[in-house]
Amino acid sequence: MWLSETETLGVLAHEMVHVCLEPKVKHGPKFKKLAQAIGLTPTKDAGPDAGFLGWIERVRADLPEFPKGALSLTTKPKQT
């Protein structure tokens, strides 16, 4: 299953919430509070809400195009 660029950025935002908190927090109240503060829905899935999607679309406009294709653990990608 491929994620859209916006969905990918939503997943990255979800994971960054984890990075900002202690590992024992998992998807508890502290996670939900921080996720909601940056525009993610306060659930275990913590997907982007309408405000986050609007913001991320404006950010995306300034980003280079996402590379397409599958990741490989056996080949080294070329750096550009």
Side-chain angles (χ1 to χ4, degrees), residues 14-15 18 26-28 31-32 35 40-47:
H14 173 111
E15 297 308 324
H18 283 295
K26 300 190 183 195
H27 292 106
F31 175 88
K32 290 178 183 179
L40 300 178
T41 57
T43 65
K44 183 178 180 182
D45 294 335

Side-chain angles (χ1 to χ4, degrees), residues 69-77:
L71 296 175
S72 171
L73 299 176
T74 59
T75 61
K76 186 176 180 180

Side-chain angles (χ1 to χ4, degrees), residues 4-14 38-40 47-63 66:
S4 71
E5 292 175 9
T6 301
E7 289 169 325
T8 300
L9 293 169
V11 170
L12 290 172
H14 173 111
I38 68 164
L40 300 178
D49 67 12
F52 180 88
L53 291 174
W55 172 77
I56 207 65
E57 285 301 321
R58 290 189 302 276
V59 170
R60 262 190 59 214
D62 292 331
L63 295 175
F66 273 40

